């Protein structure tokens, strides 16, 4: 019998405890041993919970109990999760987590500690909720060079964009609905400004390329500026707008890592990833494009990923060596101004078309229904981000107001 | 350094050898050790190959060489692959394979042998080519009860159906094109009659439900009877026709396993799996729907899956216990006549509509462009396969000719 502890009895934590009970038999079959929750650490009491007797408030109880071999850290946030995880790993206990913020900031350090103490630090639940992505990336695709990763990694923003695309709902109405349904927090900044997606692409990039990618190195744009007009022009272009986190190795050896809204063709598998679902495309040299799709968040999907990791820890003999990356200086990620991109631009002003051609070169005009004064929209060919920024500045100084500028991506 | 042997130097075998060379460094990083091909077993010589010096013709050389710890069986077919695999496992060597025919027929026996001798028998490449599916199913989703699996598992038939749907090409023209492009064999029976898809759903069902499902227990229908008229009516219904292999646990404890063409809604993630790609949907109790998408065949995608298994064998200490199922009598699969289904029916005859209503109950009429004499098409509500068959017979005896009858599925 393996005894575990769960730190944090919120949505995910309660899911882990319930799942552990509900699917006891099949979990035992897969793990080769029964898995039992001995402690639940939380600041609160839960007198009405069937698990009330296991709730404790003192972290040291877990740390000092030699019976507890595996701990699920599902508290979220950097502290005290970081200090607790370090202490547990140093005490020879494996830690599994859904805490993307912590993995994105401290992954390399915690993985090194796990290695040093012959235990595991696993985080399948930190990206894509219940979608298997971490393990396939380092195990199934182990024989591949990963060329690129592109993903719809945040369910909240994908829900908002889907409402805008399918029901012509405005950004603010869609956000309000997402909050009402519990998909978005009261303070939705981390979701709508792309920070959550950024943490997740950092984790995937670190794993795929072997060096820690820090969120602060990654150029990140959210979806707050996307309008219904943009959605209509995207349709005319032949696609939809999605918030995409992407990573790629550049010829220089540095990485391109970025989060931004983007126009994605209807032909792409990512274009049909709707509502709160996530979809992650991995482009690898041998296997080609592989796409993983499923629920990116939620109590049971995330708990399922945490339990998968717990089972792996229960079976593992020593550290799983392939799941690791090294720490890095702040030079892993290339300057985003050197990245290539095409853009869709919506602008307003007299002679907008002529100005667009003189600033951006070859363009393709886009249309939407109705009368729109002197609004003009187009897509450009591929150029560097630096050139795009310069062309935008030139347009503005030529008296054409740039209303929207969104990348076009080919996945 | 781990020495391996590759049995069969055809498309997949040469892919494995090349990949092993090409991605040597990253493979070494993931496996924790260098992996080197010592022998290539084939009946033929390959004097012009850069690997000519490793080609041997005598299986015993591999069997008796204690240096060879892992063998890739990529010969295909039941014999001599089965005898060789048995001998190797008994000699304490791990075997990895892309041979779906062998796994579907002899999987339980070979897995038991591997377990007995403390080695591994791995087969990620046998289903979905380069798509990670076997490992996610038994590891990442280990904490789940698998409710259902439904997949587009055969690239050849999916290519043919895509050509019929997108370019209104007839079945026979699309098949001829697939043969010309090398996607279909000269004798395409195993693909177009659904046998290949059947083997793959048997492997997935065995793994998900823990009991060996034999292909001969599974009701299997191919796509040879699908017409362009059916494709048009499917579009009016709101979807496309795909060849679907599916498995589900019935309330009786028996399994529902079946391969057949089916109408799939445009809303489904499976509906956009086109050309030679495969897509596999796994519906699990905790994680909900998860979809895996990628190239289901081809030299490097399949070789990539084989190499992933080789790396796992190199890292494994003893048998991976979660990857196993027990043998079964021929009573694992329920009588398919008890399965529930809705159907789309295309028929011809006077009073076709009235007859359809009297035979099938509530129906929804479908339409296609142009004049079609007394052709009539409709979809039914869900009923048992037995009732569907009885209603079809009744229609025929009432003088209405049933031209097509294809299931409608909700994935």
């Amino acid at each position: 019998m393996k005894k575990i502890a769960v730190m944090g009895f919120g949505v995910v934590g309660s899911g882990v405890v319930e799942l552990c009970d509900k699917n006891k038999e099949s979990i035992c079959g897969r793990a080769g041993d029964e898995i039992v929750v001995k402690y639940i650490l939380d600041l609160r009491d839960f007198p009405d919970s069937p698990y009330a007797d296991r709730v404790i408030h003192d972290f040291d109880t877990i740390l000092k109990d030699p019976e507890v071999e595996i701990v699920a850290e599902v508290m979220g946030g950097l502290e005290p999760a970081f200090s607790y995880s370090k202490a547990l790993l140093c005490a020879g206990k494996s830690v599994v987590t859904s805490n993307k913020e912590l993995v994105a900031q401290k992954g390399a350090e915690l993985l090194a500690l796990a290695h040093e103490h012959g235990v595991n630090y696993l985080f399948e639940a930190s990206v894509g909720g219940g979608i298997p992505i971490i393990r396939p990336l380092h195990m199934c695709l182990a024989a591949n060079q990963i060329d690129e990763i592109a993903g719809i990694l945040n369910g909240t923003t994908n829900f908002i964009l889907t409402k805008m695309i399918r029901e012509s709902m405005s950004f603010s109405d869609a956000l309000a609905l997402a909050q009402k349904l519990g998909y978005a927090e009261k303070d939705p900044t981390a979701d709508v400004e792309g920070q959550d997606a950024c943490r997740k692409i950092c984790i995937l990039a670190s794993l795929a390329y072997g060096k820690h990618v820090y969120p602060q190195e990654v150029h990140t744009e959210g979806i707050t500026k996307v309008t219904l007009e943009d959605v209509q022009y995207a349709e005319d272009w032949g696609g939809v707008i999605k918030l995409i986190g992407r990573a790629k190795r550049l010829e220089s050896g540095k990485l391109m890592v970025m989060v931004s809204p983007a126009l994605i063709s209807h032909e792409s598998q990512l274009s049909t990833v709707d509502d709160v679902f996530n979809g992650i495309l991995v482009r690898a040299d041998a296997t080609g494009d592989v796409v993983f799709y499923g629920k990116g968040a939620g109590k049971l999907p995330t708990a399922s990923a945490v339990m998968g990791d717990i089972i792996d820890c229960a079976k593992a003999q020593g550290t799983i060596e392939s799941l690791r990356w090294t720490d890095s200086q702040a030079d892993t990620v290339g300057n985003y101004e050197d990245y290539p991109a095409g853009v869709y631009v919506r602008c307003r002003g007299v002679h907008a078309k002529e100005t667009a051609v003189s600033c951006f070169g070859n363009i393709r005009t886009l249309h939407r229904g109705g009368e729109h004064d002197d609004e003009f929209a187009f897509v450009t060919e591929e150029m560097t981000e630096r050139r795009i920024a310069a062309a935008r500045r030139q347009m503005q100084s030529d008296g054409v107001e740039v209303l929207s500028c969104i990348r076009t991506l080919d996945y």
Side-chain angles (χ1 to χ4, degrees), chain A:
Chain A
M1 189 189 292
K2 297 268 182 194
K3 304 225 169 155
I4 68 167
V6 176
M7 304 199 300
F9 202 40
V11 173
V12 178
S14 60
V16 171
V17 176
E18 285 167 30
L19 200 57
C20 206
D21 249 12
K22 181 176 174 243
N23 290 349
K24 191 186 290 194
E25 275 180 44
S26 64
I27 289 170
C28 182
R30 298 288 180 191
D33 205 347
E34 205 181 332
I35 290 178
V36 175
V37 177
K38 185 168 182 182
Y39 303 117
I40 298 165
L41 180 73
D42 205 288
L43 293 172
R44 301 159 291 178
D45 273 312
F46 298 86
D48 301 330
S49 163
Y51 308 103
D53 59 324
R54 309 187 205 172
V55 175
I56 58 166
H57 308 297
D58 181 12
F59 170 68
D60 279 352
T61 311
I62 297 170
L63 184 66
K64 290 182 178 153
D65 187 335
E67 268 195 353
V68 174
E69 291 175 48
I70 305 160
V71 180
E73 183 272 292
V74 287
M75 317 163 70
L78 284 181
E79 281 298 351
F82 180 48
S83 304
Y84 287 1
S85 300
K86 272 200 296 192
L88 291 164
L89 293 168
C90 290
K93 299 179 196 298
S94 286
V95 176
V96 309
T97 188
S98 60
N99 189 337
K100 55 224 166 197
E101 195 180 348
L102 182 57
V103 180
Q105 282 296 350
K106 302 290 183 182
E109 186 175 342
L110 291 166
L111 286 164
L113 268 184
H115 174 73
E116 200 178 305
H117 295 275
V119 291
N120 282 291
Y121 183 65
L122 304 183
F123 45 89
E124 180 65 72
S126 67
V127 182
I131 308 172
I133 177 66
I134 300 294
R135 207 173 280 102
L137 203 56
H138 80 97
M139 293 185 75
C140 309
L141 304 178
N144 286 258
Q145 307 277 3
I146 308 292
D147 296 324
E148 283 188 59
I149 300 173
I152 295 168
L153 299 165
N154 179 271
T156 308
T157 46
N158 204 42
F159 175 83
I160 292 170
L161 290 171
T162 303
K163 288 288 162 193
M164 292 175 73
I165 293 163
R166 289 214 185 162
E167 299 171 28
S168 299
M169 209 179 267
S170 71
F171 171 79
S172 53
D173 285 352
L175 171 58
L177 179 62
Q179 287 173 318
K180 196 178 143 196
L181 294 172
Y183 296 152
E185 312 265 339
K186 217 169 170 183
D187 175 2
T189 315
D191 289 324
V192 299
E193 294 296 356
Q195 292 153 14
D196 177 78
C198 175
R199 289 169 189 150
K200 292 167 177 169
I201 194 67
C202 285
I203 296 171
L204 295 177
S206 301
L207 184 60
Y209 300 114
K211 280 189 162 187
H212 197 107
V213 175
Y214 287 94
Q216 50 271 30
E217 291 184 86
V218 174
H219 180 81
T220 300
E221 298 175 16
I223 64 161
T224 55
K225 291 180 195 153
V226 177
T227 68
L228 286 178
E229 290 80 7
D230 300 330
V231 167
Q232 290 169 31
Y233 283 118
E235 179 59 42
D236 184 53
W237 175 75
V240 287
I241 300 177
K242 296 285 181 189
L243 181 66
I244 302 288
R246 57 202 169 104
K248 183 179 183 173
R249 199 197 301 266
L250 297 170
E251 279 181 23
S252 64
K254 298 214 175 199
L255 300 183
M256 175 183 96
V257 189
M258 190 187 246
V259 175
S260 74
L263 275 70
I264 299 289
S265 157
H266 284 307
E267 301 282 301
S268 166
Q269 282 290 311
L270 292 180
S271 71
T272 54
V273 176
D274 285 330
D275 297 317
V276 293
F277 282 83
N278 283 193
I280 301 158
L281 180 148
V282 179
R283 190 165 281 174
D285 66 344
T287 203
D289 284 3
V290 180
V291 179
F292 302 86
Y293 166 93
K295 283 198 189 120
K299 177 175 176 165
L300 288 178
T302 311
S304 146
V306 171
M307 275 309 304
D309 278 350
I310 291 173
I311 292 171
D312 261 18
C313 287
K315 291 191 300 182
Q317 292 154 320
T319 311
I320 299 167
E321 289 295 339
S322 59
L323 187 66
R324 220 170 131 203
W325 59 78
T326 59
D327 206 351
S328 69
Q329 309 303 318
D331 64 347
T332 309
V333 175
N335 180 350
Y336 94 94
E337 293 186 318
D338 296 328
Y339 301 168
V343 280
Y344 142 82
V345 177
R346 182 168 64 93
C347 58
R348 188 158 46 207
V350 282
H351 306 305
K353 185 168 185 177
E354 295 72 14
T355 310
V357 171
S358 85
C359 295
F360 280 99
N362 277 340
I363 60 169
R364 180 181 133 207
T365 305
L366 299 179
H367 303 278
R368 66 183 180 105
E371 291 282 324
H372 319 290
D373 301 334
D374 49 359
E375 180 185 86
F376 179 69
F378 59 95
V379 286
T380 72
E381 296 183 346
E382 197 172 274
M383 53 193 79
T384 63
E385 295 271 352
R386 185 175 287 108
R387 234 205 98 196
I388 292 167
R392 279 183 63 170
R393 283 194 301 273
Q394 186 60 47
M395 282 192 82
Q396 299 274 19
S397 65
D398 288 353
V400 175
E401 186 188 1
V402 174
L403 303 166
S404 305
C405 182
I406 304 177
R407 290 163 188 86
T408 57
L409 295 180
D410 175 28
Y411 288 110

